Amino acid sequence: MDKILFVAQTECDGSLSKASLEALTAAKTLAEQLGAPLAVGLVGEAVQAAADSLAGCGAEAVYGVSGPDFAQPRYATDAAALAALFGATGAGIVIGAATPRMSRVLPGAAARVGGVSDTSVTALAASGGKPVVTRWYYRQRMYAELTRKERPWFVSVSSGCFAAYAGAAGSASVTAVSAEIPGGVRTQVTGMICPSAEEQTIRPDAALLFVAGAGWTKKQADGAAHAGEAEEIILSFLNKTQGSLGTSKSLVDLSGEGQQVLSFLSHMHQVGQTGSTPRHPKGLATCCHGEEPHVVGWRFIGERRAVNLDPNCGWAQGKADVLYVADAFEVMRKVLALLP
Amino acid sequence: MSAGYHIVVCGGIVPDPLQTLEPVQGPAGWGLKNELMLPAILDPWAGHALFEAANLAKNVPGSKVWLVSMGPKAKLQQVMMTIAQKVPFELVVLDGPASGFADAHETGAALAEAIAAIPGLDTSRLLVFGGWQSASRGAGATMQVIGEKLGIFEQFQGVDKLEILADGALRVLERVEGGSYQDSVVSGAPAVFGWATGELPEPPNNPQVGMQNMRLVMPALQKAKPVKLEKGPEYSGVQIPSQKRETRVVKDAPVDQIAKEIVDWLSA
Ligand SMILES: Cc1cc2nc3c(=O)[nH]c(=O)nc-3n(C[C@H](O)[C@H](O)[C@H](O)COP(=O)(O)OP(=O)(O)OC[C@H]3O[C@@H](n4cnc5c(N)ncnc54)[C@H](O)[C@@H]3O)c2cc1C
């Protein structure tokens, strides 16, 4: 029988992220469905507070790798910690959240202990007595349901696919596990570079994705480009709606070519094939053509609307629920006037 | 670092993203319909890694770039015709699957073996580059596996910037949540870097570089080692999501009405 090990790294304040609590639900549910024992493995500077917050999750044991070395999100220490937690539990299936910190290390840790991995799975459940995961291929163009015979099997769970675990806290007893760091620690995390609150336009938890495409910087009916006005409209809209800003490859690439561009856009805003695949209940695309390499990044956007001058743009071809054939400058100015 | 870096870039090939992709099950497992007919490109994030590698090699005298690629030989040859025009590298070929359905751990193990066998490679100066995720499997696993198999435990993913500091240490910016970067310093090689977009535009074609590369590309293709991947997941099915929406196209409507509809929808 597979033992299931849920693994997570603690946040700076010692708590667990929402994504980790979602992965715990996935692990716990799978353990229940398979009738398998569940263990918890935590990594961080200190793990007791996180362990206590999970006291009611039904785990038969909680293991922890802790100490100052394990505070920083970096490969050498995080991989060593996961390998050690696996070693302490002998789990068949190891489940964590697909956070950047866990994603940096989970497949590598699996390889270290002779295992295999599947990452960013969007579903995980027992079927016919076997664990089955769903994951996407070719940048969200198709999905597969699969299982594996090989063990250990390390799995990371995409955020937004399970409800966050919300059981009662208590006091947990944590078995300390020590982790050997082969090669020692050669990397120091020196800081985070975060956009300031006003510049923060990527908001993963926002209700709305607002995509600004290259059309915003192109020559308009009057023969001139109006990037300055476009910036104002877009930022005011994001301020009022607290939406998350996305863009197209064309627009971020323009900045490399010295064209008039929108100053607040970076490659990290790019949605699509070579960009991100954010998750939001709604999405509004403006001045974006809706070509396939862009729209694959909309896989996890619920309701979709677009404003474009071209009635034959990609959005018209079954990619949006509603396409407004109109000038986005005019429409968005009016939208701003109507928004509280 | 007077002797320069040995930079190995791992880059597979993927179908051109403008193509329609459809899964099919064949005798050898899951693949894409007409897979061998689909035009292929170098995996985009791996392409960024290659351009960054070439730029780093140009700036640090004594450095050298290899491109290690696994894929069907004939397809690789096609892609090399374009890529070889861009930047100087020496090609190492593994004649094996480029499919998204091939297992990342097996692929990583095969690539690591090929890297370890590169004649004259100095692992103390080794930087292993690649894309942080492929456009096929998208697992973000292969580079980590390669690092583990080669015993390289300094690894970075979602890299947009790599800077050589005065003391030879490397400063790395990795993408993390919400548009932020994690800023780290690693004492030096060896290390693994899974690149995101990086900072460089695609270099223009350079016929001279092309001629120089092609002299090595053809022999590399000829001596490509066949690789067979045997293990991997058991797929119970692969499907295209039913994604087509009934698009309502609103044309010739007054701007006021459109704006009102959008505002109502946003607040619903
Ligand atoms: C390997 C590869 C990877 C790629 N990856 C990505 C990716 O990750 N993400 C991505 O986005 N693209 C990607 N692309 C590029 C993609 O194919 C498109 O070229 C790109 O998405 C187009 O961006 P756009 O729609 O903003 O610009 P354009 O195609 O220039 O479209 C601009 C649109 O704005 C409209 N417009 C102009 N003015 C107005 C106005 N006043 N009001 C309303 N509408 C207006 C026009 O009608 C037009 O539809 C990739 C391509 C390749 C080959």
Side-chain angles (χ1 to χ4, degrees):
Chain A
M1 156 103 43
D2 282 321
K3 179 187 273 187
I4 292 175
L5 171 65
F6 161 74
V7 288
Q9 295 108 355
T10 58
E11 302 294 292
C12 311
D13 64 358
S15 69
L16 292 176
S17 67
K18 178 158 170 275
S20 288
L21 295 173
E22 292 172 5
L24 173 57
T25 300
K28 180 173 154 59
T29 310
L30 182 68
E32 285 160 6
Q33 289 171 345
L34 292 172
L38 174 71
V40 167
L42 300 171
V43 182
E45 180 152 28
V47 298
Q48 187 64 47
D52 288 346
S53 73
L54 306 182
C57 79
E60 56 161 36
V62 180
Y63 299 86
V65 174
S66 59
D69 271 352
F70 300 96
Q72 294 197 349
R74 72 185 148 201
Y75 188 89
T77 40
D78 279 342
L82 291 191
L85 289 169
F86 163 77
T89 54
I93 301 177
V94 179
I95 298 172
T99 56
R101 181 170 180 179
M102 188 61 88
S103 298
R104 184 190 293 113
V105 71
L106 180 131
R112 184 170 303 178
V113 300
V116 291
S117 65
D118 283 288
T119 51
S120 300
V121 308
T122 53
L124 169 64
S127 165
K130 287 189 220 160
V132 173
V133 305
T134 301
R135 69 175 299 270
W136 291 78
Y137 287 83
Y138 291 96
R139 300 295 295 156
Q140 287 62 253
R141 301 213 189 182
M142 57 192 78
Y143 64 94
E145 287 187 354
L146 60 94
T147 186
R148 290 188 185 255
K149 283 207 188 78
E150 300 111 316
R151 298 288 185 272
W153 183 13
F154 283 50
V155 175
S156 70
V157 179
S158 282
S159 67
C161 300
F162 289 86
Y165 169 78
S171 78
S173 111
V174 180
T175 306
V177 174
S178 66
E180 184 208 339
I181 305 167
V185 177
R186 291 204 293 118
T187 296
Q188 292 300 329
V189 178
T190 51
M192 290 289 170
I193 303 177
C194 306
S196 67
E198 314 84 82
E199 291 167 352
Q200 176 59 287
T201 50
I202 298 175
R203 302 178 175 121
D205 297 325
L208 176 75
L209 169 71
F210 179 74
V211 160
W216 282 105
T217 60
K218 299 229 157 122
K219 276 191 190 149
Q220 295 299 311
D222 62 359
H226 300 277
E229 189 188 354
E231 288 200 349
E232 251 180 72
I233 292 176
I234 293 164
L235 287 181
S236 312
F237 178 77
L238 292 171
N239 257 333
K240 287 196 171 192
T241 57
Q242 288 300 300
S244 186
L245 179 62
T247 189
S248 67
K249 182 173 190 310
S250 294
L251 192 45
V252 286
D253 283 355
L254 285 178
S255 59
E257 291 158 17
Q259 283 213 25
Q260 235 193 356
V261 283
L262 307 181
S263 56
F264 44 82
L265 288 176
S266 76
H267 279 291
M268 285 202 274
H269 289 95
Q270 184 184 319
V271 170
Q273 174 89 22
T274 44
S276 63
T277 311
R279 257 169 215 280
H280 302 279
K282 290 179 187 171
L284 177 62
T286 52
C287 297
C288 166
H289 202 75
E291 281 196 42
E292 186 66 7
H294 175 76
V295 182
V296 293
W298 283 62
R299 174 65 66 215
F300 305 120
I301 304 297
E303 298 171 27
R304 306 176 185 174
R305 298 196 178 193
V307 183
N308 198 303
L309 286 170
D310 181 355
N312 297 315
C313 67
W315 301 108
Q317 329 294 328
K319 293 191 160 108
D321 304 308
V322 184
L323 167 65
Y324 300 103
V325 180
D327 183 329
F329 282 85
E330 289 178 16
V331 171
M332 294 310 293
R333 253 185 249 128
K334 197 74 212 171
V335 165
L336 281 178
L338 292 176
L339 281 173
Chain B
M1 180 69 53
S2 57
Y5 295 108
H6 280 179
I7 312 171
V8 173
V9 182
C10 303
I13 54 175
V14 294
D16 183 322
L18 293 169
Q19 300 291 319
T20 303
L21 306 182
E22 214 181 296
V24 286
Q25 193 172 20
W30 283 92
L32 298 176
K33 194 170 165 188
N34 299 327
E35 188 150 354
L36 285 175
M37 309 293 285
L38 290 170
I41 58 166
L42 184 66
D43 200 326
W45 273 314
H48 291 295
L50 178 64
F51 306 148
E52 294 283 346
N55 187 55
L56 180 59
K58 198 174 75 192
N59 293 331
V60 182
S63 298
K64 176 167 178 179
V65 177
W66 287 264
L67 174 61
V68 179
S69 194
M70 177 156 87
K73 240 191 327 194
K75 289 242 85 105
L76 271 175
Q77 183 172 347
Q78 251 172 41
V79 173
M80 285 310 138
M81 294 295 176
T82 326
I83 278 304
Q85 308 292 323
K86 301 284 175 193
V87 293
F89 58 80
E90 185 172 327
L91 183 67
V92 176
V93 179
L94 288 84
D95 190 8
S99 166
F101 300 109
D103 186 59
H105 287 261
E106 280 201 291
T107 303
L111 291 169
E113 208 177 294
I115 294 171
I118 292 176
L121 190 77
D122 179 352
T123 46
S124 70
R125 305 194 265 153
L126 177 60
L127 303 180
V128 184
F129 280 22
W132 68 322
Q133 288 162 14
S134 67
S136 48
R137 191 166 40 234
T142 309
M143 296 305 298
Q144 294 180 35
V145 175
I146 292 171
E148 284 291 326
K149 300 281 177 199
L150 295 173
I152 304 176
F153 307 126
E154 305 303 322
Q155 300 198 14
F156 304 88
Q157 297 296 333
V159 176
D160 267 341
K161 188 181 175 75
L162 175 60
E163 191 186 342
I164 314 292
L165 304 179
D167 61 355
L170 308 170
R171 178 178 175 224
V172 192
L173 294 190
E174 290 171 282
R175 293 185 181 186
V176 290
E177 289 101 340
S180 301
Y181 281 112
Q182 179 167 312
D183 195 344
S184 310
V185 174
V186 54
S187 62
V192 170
F193 302 87
W195 283 86
T197 313
E199 296 193 301
L200 303 171
E202 182 165 330
N205 285 349
N206 179 335
Q208 239 176 329
V209 167
M211 297 228 301
Q212 183 197 323
N213 279 340
M214 286 316 275
R215 278 208 306 269
L216 296 170
V217 164
M218 295 320 284
L221 283 161
Q222 270 151 18
K223 64 176 185 227
K225 199 176 130 206
V227 175
K228 233 178 138 55
L229 306 184
E230 321 254 61
K231 288 188 281 189
E234 293 166 30
Y235 293 97
S236 44
V238 185
Q239 287 172 52
I240 296 182
S242 50
Q243 63 191 12
K244 218 165 148 66
R245 297 169 184 236
E246 288 296 324
T247 309
R248 175 165 68 90
V249 179
V250 180
K251 241 170 127 171
D252 303 323
V255 168
D256 286 9
Q257 184 195 318
I258 294 175
K260 167 124 194 357
E261 235 190 88
I262 291 177
V263 171
D264 289 348
W265 170 66
L266 289 175
S267 54

